Amino acid sequence: MRRIILATATGLALTLAAACGTTAPGQKAGQASRPAGQPAQSGQAGHGGLHGTTPAATPAAEPLRAGERFQTLSMPVAHTPKPPGGGTDEYRCFLVDPGVTAPDTYLTGTQFVPGNTAIVHHAIFFSLDPAKTGPARALDAKSPGEGWTCFGDAGLNESDWIGHWAPGTNEVLLDPSLGYPLKPGSALVMQIHYSTLAMAGAEPGPDRSSVRMRLATGARTALHTETYPAPIELPCTAQEKGPLCEREAAVADVGKRFGADAADRVGFLSHICDGGKPKSGPVQACDLPFERPMRIHALAGHMHLLGRSIKVELNPGKPDGRTLLDVPEYNFDNQAIQPLPEPVAVGKGDTIRVTCTHDAGLRAQLPLLSKLPPRYVVWGEGTQDEMCLGILVTSAGKPAA
């Protein structure tokens, strides 16, 4: 899952899902829609069941509340992925019209429905203000076929991440006073990560996914998605041998499959998190400062198939330090956003720490990975690569004293 946009103390930016919304009837603001720790079901045949869950159909949405309406959008036409660079992953962006005409319109919930569950790995949705849709339309027009290739993000500088889907992610409803703003005439970019790894060389077939958006009118507090990564520096196990077990070869392979920016990102993460000195091992962490005051309403963690655990902490080691998210047994098929009981205020200069534990030994146990050449795993877009990402749903400023 991707788009790492992240502001650091030096002003560098690096970017990656959040479902947002309102509260279900009888549900306290900020309360999770299912008991903590209960596994969600992914409905993704290509990955579902890897960690003990069973794929299931997308559940029905909660009823609409005052001022809300549903708007369902589909890809313009079906798309059959063709991964570049000899890989098994394609990121494709599709431009769709959410039909927003009224001012003070907000996205308060997102429920994605993958069309071809064997190949859809995740989806992220980006909004474009009306004045900024021109570059997207130009990019779409000059790219062969429907949509355009978009490893990393939407391929556009002026887009805002407003929703996502990953295994275990359904419509999670937050307080009704919150939402992602959508101006009249806004466009929506639907980025879909296709993984053909489970196809074992067979033709993947077409996909025509859709998303059901919960739109509401009336003034609300604007939400933003903030993402904070940590490096991946996972060496091969002692039992594994091969050319990709060398770090330089593995980084070059990521660049071959996803472009030079992907290879550069590995060094960038090492720079901002470890002072440019990679620290190989199963546990990686990164401390980064908040650049402005904000309130955190919900969190999620994202890794791939070798992930064991993920934790997000605020001001670790300080008197006011606290753990915001702790997933001691990471489940790829349960990546649902976790609402906080109450919003947490952070100030400029406060520190967020994201810590991930990965296990290269899982490679031999997972059918999707066991037949692939062993590799030194770094940050990468593919299912056989890894990520370590804390995802925060936030609003500006601090709660009133």
Side-chain angles (χ1 to χ4, degrees):
M1 165 178 301
R2 283 271 34 214
R3 201 190 182 221
I4 316 179
I5 297 176
L6 148 79
T8 70
T10 59
L12 296 172
L14 173 81
T15 146
L16 191 124
C20 75
T22 48
T23 326
Q27 179 182 343
K28 183 180 178 181
Q31 180 180 346
S33 352
R34 62 178 63 86
Q38 178 178 328
Q41 306 202 329
S42 74
Q44 186 185 21
H47 299 92
L50 280 175
H51 295 275
T53 60
T54 303
T58 301
E62 294 288 346
L64 291 168
R65 273 95 29 105
E68 291 184 336
R69 64 181 175 89
F70 284 132
Q71 177 77 19
T72 299
L73 304 174
S74 296
M75 293 164 47
V77 297
H79 175 71
T80 299
K82 297 178 180 179
T88 56
D89 300 273
E90 180 186 27
Y91 282 61
R92 196 77 179 177
C93 282
F94 305 94
L95 191 63
V96 293
D97 182 3
V100 176
T101 58
D104 287 334
T105 297
Y106 291 81
L107 177 70
T108 56
T110 304
Q111 194 163 23
F112 178 73
V113 181
N116 186 340
T117 57
I119 57 174
V120 177
H121 178 280
H122 79 263
I124 301 177
F125 313 102
F126 304 98
S127 67
L128 289 173
D129 284 354
K132 301 171 183 175
T133 60
R137 300 188 190 283
L139 186 58
D140 192 12
K142 74 177 184 180
S143 300
E146 189 68 35
W148 62 91
T149 300
C150 52
F151 289 117
D153 57 20
L156 303 162
N157 293 327
E158 302 293 340
S159 58
D160 296 315
W161 178 13
I162 61 172
H164 90 292
W165 175 87
T169 301
N170 294 309
E171 189 180 46
V172 178
L173 303 179
L174 304 183
D175 190 277
S177 66
L178 307 172
Y180 287 94
L182 293 174
K183 294 180 180 179
S186 295
L188 189 74
V189 176
M190 181 187 300
Q191 183 204 54
I192 300 180
H193 173 191
Y194 294 106
S195 174
T196 62
L197 194 57
M199 304 306 297
E203 194 59 34
D207 169 67
R208 193 174 185 184
S209 295
S210 62
V211 59
R212 180 171 57 195
M213 305 172 68
R214 185 184 293 255
L215 300 178
T217 54
R220 282 165 170 76
T221 297
L223 290 175
H224 304 275
T225 301
E226 304 279 342
T227 57
Y228 296 87
I232 307 297
E233 297 285 345
L234 186 65
C236 291
T237 67
Q239 293 74 35
E240 294 176 318
K241 304 293 181 184
L244 291 179
C245 287
E246 298 296 327
R247 183 180 186 276
E248 289 187 4
V251 174
D253 181 67
V254 167
K256 175 186 175 182
R257 287 182 286 129
F258 304 117
D261 286 349
D264 291 343
R265 189 173 298 117
V266 176
F268 177 64
L269 281 170
S270 175
H271 171 73
I272 64 171
C273 298
D274 295 323
K277 299 178 180 179
K279 301 175 182 177
S280 65
V283 181
Q284 298 290 333
C286 189
D287 288 6
L288 293 167
F290 288 100
E291 287 204 325
R292 62 187 183 280
M294 65 182 70
R295 288 172 291 174
I296 304 172
H297 299 272
L299 300 93
H302 177 69
M303 300 186 288
H304 290 176
L305 302 181
L306 302 181
R308 282 292 194 185
S309 65
I310 184 167
K311 180 184 291 188
V312 179
E313 300 169 273
L314 174 64
N315 293 330
K318 296 183 178 179
D320 62 343
R322 60 188 295 183
T323 297
L324 301 177
L325 178 73
D326 189 5
V327 184
E329 295 182 8
Y330 179 75
N331 183 343
F332 183 88
D333 292 313
N334 182 12
Q335 299 186 51
I337 204 86
Q338 299 294 322
L340 292 169
E342 298 292 340
V344 173
V346 299
K348 182 179 179 179
D350 282 347
T351 298
I352 183 170
R353 174 181 293 171
V354 179
T355 305
C356 289
T357 301
H358 291 84
D359 183 355
L362 289 174
R363 185 162 38 221
Q365 303 176 35
L366 297 175
L368 281 182
L369 304 182
S370 60
K371 295 181 180 180
L372 298 178
R375 66 174 59 239
Y376 185 111
V377 180
V378 294
W379 184 286
E381 311 286 346
T383 303
Q384 69 266 47
D385 307 305
E386 269 300 338
M387 294 184 183
C388 173
L389 195 71
I391 305 163
L392 281 60
V393 178
T394 72
S395 62
K398 296 183 179 181

